[in-house]
Amino acid sequence: LGELDATDAGVLLTTLAGIPVPGEVLDRLVTSTGGNPLALVELANALPADQLSGRDPLPAHLPLTQGVERAFLDRVGRLPSGAQSFLLVAAADDSGRVAIVRQAALALGASPEAIDAAEDSGLVRVIDGAVTLRHPLVRSAVYGAATSSQRRAAHRALADALVGTGDVDRRAWHRAAAVEEPDESVVTDLDHVAERAAQRGGLEAASAAWERAAELTVAAGPR
């Protein structure tokens, strides 16, 4: 089946969920799934009503049930381990810069040949210095199937690859995703991210950074 546009996706989701799905939620779901009908059907069953109605925020990574996930993971599983590492780094990345993704993947042990194999698979495209996953659901499937330690390693490699690029906010978030235990240096970076966001009027982004900083600090007062 071809992808659904926002109008048809809205009819489908509202019918399945039994509640109106607001535009901002619908836009996120259509963008994240590429309008894939099976994914939309499964998300209507997997997401709670409060998230579909917009009362609660949607999760950062949408839950995929087995039907959609298996279709992509079967293809991923046939690739060399280095190619899988490249795909995981691409899924964890939010810069879209192939130089950053390639450097991080090489740091995780991926060979140039393995990176070529990932491109040859059709699951990822590299054009004019930009890297994109073939479909939004590839990102969710690859990231969701990785272990927590694999995801942390990918974020750590991305943070290291961003050193010296001037992209301090993105690097801070990757560092925050790479740690489990309290880390005051990460807390300091996130505090600066929040302050810059607040100065720009990005109060939601500032709140998210401060919330994560609170999770990673041991000092009760600042928390």
Side-chain angles (χ1 to χ4, degrees):
L1 295 175
E3 67 183 52
L4 301 182
D5 60 22
T7 300
D8 289 339
V11 173
L12 177 63
L13 286 170
T14 298
T15 301
L16 292 172
I19 56 174
V21 179
E24 62 272 16
V25 174
L26 180 60
D27 289 344
R28 165 81 190 285
L29 295 181
V30 171
T31 299
S32 298
T33 62
N36 181 285
L38 176 58
L40 291 169
V41 168
E42 295 195 335
L43 285 174
N45 294 320
L47 293 173
D50 283 347
Q51 290 182 347
L52 286 171
S53 67
R55 288 190 293 270
D56 288 342
L58 291 169
H61 294 279
L62 296 175
L64 289 181
T65 48
Q66 292 183 352
V68 176
E69 190 175 64
R70 189 184 304 116
F72 288 114
L73 291 181
D74 283 347
R75 295 174 63 183
V76 174
R78 292 193 290 268
L79 296 174
S81 60
Q84 295 182 38
S85 294
F86 181 79
L87 288 174
L88 174 58
V89 172
D93 171 70
D94 57 354
S95 73
R97 287 179 280 174
V98 66
I100 298 298
V101 174
R102 189 182 299 273
Q103 181 179 335
L106 290 172
L108 292 178
S111 66
E113 293 76 17
I115 294 175
D116 288 342
E119 290 188 52
D120 291 340
S121 73
L123 292 169
V124 65
R125 292 178 290 192
V126 177
I127 301 174
D128 297 331
V131 57
T132 57
L133 291 166
R134 181 73 182 183
H135 193 283
L137 295 178
V138 175
R139 182 184 302 276
S140 298
V142 170
Y143 194 87
T147 65
S148 60
S149 62
Q150 289 172 329
R151 289 194 292 266
R152 290 195 303 274
H155 284 291
R156 189 177 303 112
L158 284 165
D160 291 342
L162 286 165
V163 172
T165 65
D167 201 344
V168 292
D169 285 3
R170 181 171 279 115
R171 181 171 185 268
W173 275 114
H174 282 303
R175 291 191 69 209
V179 297
E180 282 186 314
E181 302 298 324
D183 188 319
E184 291 302 327
S185 69
V186 175
V187 170
T188 298
D189 285 352
L190 287 173
D191 195 23
H192 293 160
V193 168
E195 290 172 351
R196 286 189 290 270
Q199 290 170 2
R200 296 191 301 266
L203 301 184
E204 184 176 1
S207 177
W210 274 319
E211 181 178 14
R212 181 58 176 153
E215 294 171 350
L216 294 174
T217 187
V218 295
R223 183 168 64 246

